[in-house]
Amino acid sequence: DAGITQSPRHKVTETGTPVTLRCHQTENHRYMYWYRQDPGHGLRLIHYSYGVKDTDKGEVSDGYSVSRSKTEDFLLTLESATSSQTSVYFCATLGASGSGGEQYFGPGTRLTVT
Amino acid sequence: DAKTTQPNSMESNEEEPVHLPCNHSTISGTDYIHWYRQLPSQGPEYVIHGLTSNVNNRMASLAIAEDRKSSTLILHRATLRDAAVYYCILESSGDKLTFGTGTRLAVRP
């Protein structure tokens, strides 16, 4: 257990509203990731961070932004939520730099956009 | 990124070994092979990873073919708690994982 919490765990919101999901870690891990998981798909990478204020886009970044002002927190924002963003969102961290490291995943946030 | 191919589903009996196959014919020399699993309603959890040699840990063993074009995750004695989706992943772009749809393992009591 890498001490990763996600909040909220469940959220229902309306189309067009902004939504922010929070990932908090207590392990001082440098790397952090946001994924989404939809039925019939594996996890898909949205954005990731290599450190404070150092973020980059993943394969499904459209409609999402992220911020990392502190090592322990990685925020994912849906600027204007759409029904296609209904999904389960997972945060992950990676402690060791370089290839071959183990990612630790949070419990997930189930987001429903109506 | 290099792709992996896994069976959609497999079944096993409790307390018997399970061999979960993965094909990755386009693997490059520097790609790590990772296995993660996802229990129902949970985030994925790391199982094992390797580069060229076979690997063992407390959860499982990873057998990597000599040409590295395939690998097998071995659970030595399946339990009901091992029922999950198992993902075989190639890490080819430094610190990022690309998940496929995995193999859903059912364990019969």
Side-chain angles (χ1 to χ4, degrees):
Chain A
D1 184 2
I4 302 171
T5 57
Q6 294 185 229
S7 59
R9 294 292 313 280
H10 302 271
K11 186 170 182 66
V12 180
T13 191
E14 293 183 349
T15 298
T17 60
V19 176
T20 295
L21 308 182
R22 180 182 183 236
C23 177
H24 179 78
Q25 55 123 341
T26 59
E27 299 296 317
N28 201 36
H29 285 174
R30 177 180 170 188
Y31 301 84
M32 297 187 75
Y33 307 82
W34 276 107
Y35 295 88
R36 62 177 288 174
Q37 186 172 35
D38 305 294
H41 292 271
L43 278 73
R44 291 182 290 175
L45 183 64
I46 305 171
H47 281 280
Y48 56 99
S49 170
Y50 287 143
V52 173
K53 297 184 180 180
D54 186 2
T55 65
D56 206 346
K57 296 179 179 180
E59 68 173 296
V60 290
S61 61
D62 287 348
Y64 302 95
S65 62
V66 290
S67 65
R68 188 149 178 224
S69 58
K70 298 185 290 184
T71 297
E72 58 265 36
D73 289 326
F74 193 30
L75 304 181
L76 176 71
T77 297
L78 288 65
E79 292 136 12
S80 177
T82 68
S83 59
S84 64
Q85 293 175 312
T86 293
S87 188
V88 180
Y89 291 85
F90 289 99
C91 171
T93 69
L94 175 66
S97 62
S99 296
E102 171 185 348
Q103 287 195 18
Y104 299 90
F105 285 80
T109 294
R110 183 172 296 275
L111 176 68
T112 303
V113 183
T114 61
Chain B
D1 288 336
K3 301 297 185 186
T4 63
T5 303
Q6 300 177 254
N8 288 333
S9 62
M10 292 184 63
E11 286 191 338
S12 172
N13 294 319
E14 195 175 13
E15 298 190 2
E16 291 185 355
V18 182
H19 290 233
L20 297 166
C22 181
N23 288 321
H24 29 78
S25 58
T26 59
I27 191 171
S28 72
T30 57
D31 289 348
Y32 280 83
I33 302 162
H34 290 259
W35 283 84
Y36 282 73
R37 72 179 186 180
Q38 187 173 21
L39 280 64
S41 301
Q42 295 188 23
E45 66 173 341
Y46 169 83
V47 178
I48 201 167
H49 78 278
L51 185 60
T52 56
S53 302
N54 294 344
V55 184
N56 299 295
N57 67 21
R58 64 174 179 81
M59 289 182 70
S61 296
L62 175 61
I64 301 173
E66 193 169 339
D67 63 6
R68 301 209 327 126
K69 294 184 183 300
S70 65
S71 61
T72 301
L73 178 70
I74 302 165
L75 307 179
H76 296 285
R77 288 185 64 197
T79 70
L80 297 179
R81 289 172 295 182
D82 291 323
V85 178
Y86 287 79
Y87 297 98
C88 170
I89 303 163
L90 298 184
E91 183 200 338
S92 55
S93 53
D95 308 320
K96 296 197 293 293
L97 304 177
T98 301
F99 285 77
T101 53
T103 296
R104 183 174 298 277
L105 176 66
V107 180
R108 294 185 291 256

